[in-house]
Amino acid sequence: MGHYALVFVGFGNVGRALARLLLRKRAQLEDGYQITFQVNGIATGRHGMAIDLRGIDLEAALACLESGGRLDRFSTLPTPATILDFIQACPGDVLFENTPINHLTGQPATDHLAAALRQGMHAITANKGPVVHAYAELNRLAHAQGRRFLFESAVMDGAPIFSLFRGGLPCVELRGFQGILNSTSNMILERMESGESLEEAIVYAQSIGIAETNPLNDVEGWDAAVKVAALATVLMGVPLRPQDVQRTGISAITPAMLQSARESGQRWKLVCRVQRQGEGLRASVCPEQVPAESVLSNIHGTSSYVEFAMDVLPGLGIVEGNPSPETTAYGLLADMLNALREDGV
Amino acid sequence: MGHYALVFVGFGNVGRALARLLLRKRAQLEDGYQITFQVNGIATGRHGMAIDLRGIDLEAALACLESGGRLDRFSTLPTPATILDFIQACPGDVLFENTPINHLTGQPATDHLAAALRQGMHAITANKGPVVHAYAELNRLAHAQGRRFLFESAVMDGAPIFSLFRGGLPCVELRGFQGILNSTSNMILERMESGESLEEAIVYAQSIGIAETNPLNDVEGWDAAVKVAALATVLMGVPLRPQDVQRTGISAITPAMLQSARESGQRWKLVCRVQRQGEGLRASVCPEQVPAESVLSNIHGTSSYVEFAMDVLPGLGIVEGNPSPETTAYGLLADMLNALREDGV
């Protein structure tokens, strides 16, 4: 279907995993979708920027970063002063925004995405911030520009949630949902069940790279509340801010409570719940004792789960089991294909 | 997007549930999708047929059948001799095929669907038979006619499985899947765990209307094998016949086995498994002891489950929890919208 120029803003773990996935899937994209690509620009926070409208050598750029180098030597233009200048100077078809999240403001990601859309690029991100803080505005801008604002990986990594509702679930009435959306707190509770203290479990989650930089975001339910707000805003059509979610973290859950729940055939989980209430929503993130017989009870490790209640499908559950490092990258790739394909959702 | 003429072939529980759902969603279809409809024809097995190109009064037809009447009095044409004659005589945009399934041949549903496509109608069914026996042929015919052959409700009622792969999962490598696809045998095993005999549990499943007319189809794993064949054929691109699925039913599972599994923290389930093996597939439906900690273990009642293993999404599970009578009907409605919408999947 064509040859496309890609632009990366933010090139940490997620951006690099996407670059590697694009390289791995290159032949499949060409054979299956008639899509070829080049990378016109990469902007990092601390390792410089590169713009080359003939296409940056992506393997070489990855290797350079992995050996601690800076990207500027791949650039054919002087390094722009800011990321917004970079976006202005770097034309392309698709911009991937993967700078660190700011839960409170959604910035600077929102400004980057808006700039990309104004430049006529599809704007794709794994970042929840812009979804909860600027969904309506970015969506309007995308429509006006004939481009897409997509963010599949913002919730449950690359599991297809937003695209499922855009594509496979026309004409449903979504009444609410429940789930386990923060895998770090879920894993912490499991490790505390096996005898670790909260602090030990946090250290473990950090050691395997799943905890947020500030673990309080996970432990206090803030990350889950942001995901709840993103799902509710997009899928239920009711703008919900993270601070509107009634939120209780897991820090008051003790090993004794976990043990006594197990003895009565239950298990503590940090459960997200959203229900329509009049014109609005009632939303919460709160530890709950769930029965051993429930699907919620059997969400383990780094897995997560959401179950949607609809008029015609009383309980449609999506389990994301043991996401790989590629899973978030895949959500971004799927967004790109949905933006570029004529029959994309 | 337009006014469409619908045709029903087979008007038992599923066809009537669809008719009621269409009536209930009429305003939403018009407001949300600019779709209005009329019903040009209804053909039943034992209650006559009706054709009226000005549109049959659907409420009246439903009421007539529910009070034991025949449909012929709604017809403006002489009753055709056969269903194929009916399809010839009844032009429309979408044909819903819901005659009883024949697992061994896929007939007569396949002939009905082919006739509909040749007449220029989209062909939609909840029937697994044509999917496992004539997928390639019906799909080719649909492409040639610029129409769609869709069958979301053939597996897991109306849960979006086929549409998920058409829409939200581009460029994945599907390596295999596992699941619990026959809810009757699952419920029978659960009731046997609580002390019922196989025969008592079958009678119960029949009393709530979930067992197939011939319960051996459920108990011997045949229904699950047909679903396995449908999923593998469509999603993995490898034609698989139900008889190619290694199949063991649940009739050899005794209450003592169920009890002893529970004591060791496990549970017997009739598990479907498919994996790629060279160019082909290894497929089985077989009772297994699954660990209490697995999602499979917590699929209860009339719920079902499938978990897909993909390169980029190691375990994407779909739970269909407690489907309502409308759920199968919804799959047919979603197919219709996907066929008619410009941005359908």
Side-chain angles (χ1 to χ4, degrees):
Chain A
M1 300 188 327
H3 181 74
Y4 298 97
L6 314 181
V7 178
F8 289 78
V9 169
F11 206 62
N13 288 338
V14 171
R16 295 182 205 182
L18 173 60
R20 281 188 288 265
L21 182 61
L22 281 162
L23 291 169
R24 182 166 82 74
K25 294 270 186 189
R26 196 192 275 274
Q28 201 180 338
L29 288 169
E30 189 162 356
D31 297 348
Y33 300 89
Q34 293 75 54
I35 284 178
T36 57
F37 65 87
Q38 66 179 52
V39 174
N40 275 6
I42 305 175
T44 73
R46 286 169 302 172
H47 305 283
M49 305 182 195
I51 297 177
D52 184 344
L53 304 190
R54 300 161 314 184
I56 294 167
D57 180 337
L58 197 51
E59 279 101 338
L62 283 165
C64 163
L65 286 169
E66 251 126 75
S67 62
R70 291 181 59 84
L71 287 185
D72 308 76
R73 70 179 171 86
F74 292 90
S75 206
T76 56
L77 297 180
T79 302
T82 67
I83 299 246
L84 287 174
D85 291 341
F86 165 88
I87 296 171
Q88 292 286 342
C90 191
D93 300 294
V94 178
L95 182 137
F96 295 106
E97 212 294 339
N98 290 304
T99 62
I101 183 168
N102 182 320
H103 293 114
L104 289 174
T105 67
Q107 291 295 7
T110 298
D111 284 348
H112 300 163
L113 293 161
L117 290 166
R118 281 196 206 93
Q119 295 271 98
M121 292 188 261
H122 298 293
I124 294 173
T125 187
N127 196 319
K128 297 176 279 296
V131 183
V132 294
H133 293 287
Y135 173 65
E137 164 197 340
L138 289 171
N139 219 22
R140 248 193 325 267
L141 182 56
H143 278 288
Q145 296 287 92
R147 290 294 176 273
R148 303 288 298 273
F149 165 47
L150 295 174
F151 41 80
E152 189 60 83
S153 291
V155 178
M156 288 175 77
D157 309 301
I161 306 291
F162 297 110
S163 62
L164 179 65
F165 277 85
R166 292 197 306 270
L169 290 170
C171 213
V172 297
E173 186 191 319
L174 178 56
R175 295 174 173 169
F177 59 88
Q178 61 175 342
I180 294 173
L181 293 172
N182 178 262
S183 55
T184 303
S185 56
N186 196 45
M187 177 175 274
I188 288 172
L189 287 173
E190 284 198 310
R191 294 189 71 90
M192 288 175 67
E193 266 184 24
S194 320
E196 287 188 3
S197 70
L198 177 62
E199 293 67 28
E200 288 166 338
I202 289 174
V203 168
Y204 175 79
Q206 288 173 323
S207 76
I208 63 165
I210 67 160
E212 297 232 350
T213 326
N214 176 357
L216 286 181
N217 278 332
D218 297 311
V219 170
E220 294 307 332
W222 189 246
D223 173 74
V226 177
K227 288 171 177 162
V228 160
L231 288 175
T233 299
V234 176
L235 301 181
M236 302 183 78
V238 181
L240 183 76
R241 297 172 310 164
Q243 53 268 43
D244 298 331
V245 178
Q246 183 198 325
R247 183 175 49 79
T248 308
I250 60 168
S251 53
I253 306 291
T254 62
M257 289 163 74
L258 292 163
Q259 200 49 45
S260 117
R262 288 308 283 154
E263 280 157 18
S264 62
Q266 305 211 305
R267 189 172 264 156
W268 282 97
K269 295 284 186 187
L270 185 63
V271 179
C272 305
R273 292 192 181 279
V274 175
Q275 262 197 307
R276 288 196 194 273
Q277 193 170 49
E279 295 294 293
L281 300 174
R282 191 176 56 203
S284 63
V285 172
C286 209
E288 273 182 36
Q289 293 189 58
V290 301
E293 296 297 302
S294 66
V295 174
L296 287 172
S297 168
N298 280 358
I299 302 302
H300 304 293
T302 57
S303 301
S304 51
Y305 181 63
V306 62
E307 184 180 310
F308 297 100
M310 292 169 274
D311 58 342
V312 287
L313 284 160
L316 179 71
I318 313 287
V319 182
E320 187 196 25
N322 302 311
S324 78
E326 271 190 337
T327 306
T328 302
Y330 173 69
L332 295 158
L333 175 66
D335 281 343
M336 176 185 103
L337 289 170
N338 280 323
L340 299 179
R341 284 195 298 170
E342 257 173 56
D343 58 351
V345 291
Chain B
M1 299 190 329
H3 182 75
Y4 298 96
L6 314 181
V7 177
F8 289 78
V9 168
F11 207 62
N13 287 337
V14 171
R16 294 182 207 183
L18 173 61
R20 281 187 288 264
L21 182 62
L22 281 162
L23 291 170
R24 182 166 82 74
K25 294 269 186 190
R26 196 193 276 272
Q28 202 179 337
L29 288 169
E30 189 160 357
D31 297 347
Y33 300 89
Q34 293 75 54
I35 283 177
T36 57
F37 65 87
Q38 66 179 52
V39 174
N40 275 6
I42 305 174
T44 73
R46 286 169 303 172
H47 305 283
M49 305 183 194
I51 298 177
D52 184 343
L53 304 190
R54 300 160 315 184
I56 294 168
D57 180 338
L58 197 50
E59 279 101 338
L62 282 165
C64 163
L65 286 169
E66 251 127 73
S67 62
R70 292 180 58 85
L71 287 184
D72 309 75
R73 69 179 171 87
F74 292 90
S75 206
T76 56
L77 296 181
T79 302
T82 67
I83 299 247
L84 288 173
D85 291 342
F86 165 88
I87 296 171
Q88 291 287 342
C90 190
D93 299 294
V94 177
L95 182 137
F96 295 107
E97 211 294 340
N98 291 303
T99 63
I101 183 168
N102 182 320
H103 293 113
L104 289 174
T105 66
Q107 292 295 8
T110 298
D111 284 348
H112 300 162
L113 293 161
L117 289 166
R118 282 196 206 95
Q119 296 270 100
M121 293 188 261
H122 297 293
I124 294 174
T125 187
N127 196 319
K128 297 175 279 294
V131 183
V132 295
H133 293 288
Y135 174 65
E137 163 197 340
L138 289 170
N139 219 22
R140 248 192 325 266
L141 182 55
H143 278 289
Q145 296 288 91
R147 290 295 177 271
R148 304 287 299 273
F149 165 47
L150 295 174
F151 41 80
E152 190 60 82
S153 291
V155 178
M156 287 174 77
D157 309 300
I161 307 290
F162 296 110
S163 63
L164 179 65
F165 278 85
R166 292 197 306 268
L169 290 170
C171 213
V172 296
E173 184 191 319
L174 178 56
R175 295 173 173 170
F177 59 87
Q178 60 175 339
I180 294 174
L181 293 172
N182 178 263
S183 55
T184 303
S185 55
N186 196 45
M187 178 175 273
I188 288 172
L189 287 172
E190 284 198 310
R191 294 189 70 90
M192 288 174 67
E193 267 184 22
S194 319
E196 287 189 1
S197 69
L198 176 63
E199 292 68 28
E200 288 165 339
I202 289 174
V203 168
Y204 175 78
Q206 287 174 324
S207 77
I208 64 165
I210 67 160
E212 296 233 351
T213 325
N214 177 357
L216 286 181
N217 278 331
D218 297 310
V219 170
E220 295 306 332
W222 188 246
D223 174 74
V226 176
K227 288 171 177 162
V228 160
L231 288 174
T233 299
V234 177
L235 301 180
M236 302 184 78
V238 181
L240 183 76
R241 297 172 309 165
Q243 55 267 43
D244 298 333
V245 178
Q246 183 198 325
R247 182 175 50 78
T248 309
I250 60 168
S251 53
I253 307 290
T254 63
M257 289 163 74
L258 292 163
Q259 199 50 43
S260 117
R262 288 309 281 155
E263 280 156 19
S264 61
Q266 305 211 306
R267 191 171 264 157
W268 282 98
K269 293 285 188 188
L270 184 62
V271 179
C272 305
R273 292 192 180 279
V274 174
Q275 261 198 308
R276 288 196 195 272
Q277 193 169 48
E279 296 295 293
L281 300 174
R282 190 176 57 205
S284 62
V285 172
C286 210
E288 275 183 33
Q289 292 190 59
V290 301
E293 296 298 302
S294 67
V295 174
L296 287 173
S297 167
N298 280 359
I299 302 302
H300 304 293
T302 56
S303 301
S304 51
Y305 182 62
V306 63
E307 185 180 311
F308 297 100
M310 291 169 274
D311 57 343
V312 287
L313 285 162
L316 179 71
I318 313 286
V319 182
E320 187 196 25
N322 302 312
S324 78
E326 271 190 335
T327 306
T328 302
Y330 173 69
L332 295 158
L333 175 66
D335 281 343
M336 177 185 102
L337 289 170
N338 279 323
L340 297 180
R341 284 194 299 168
E342 255 174 56
D343 58 351
V345 292

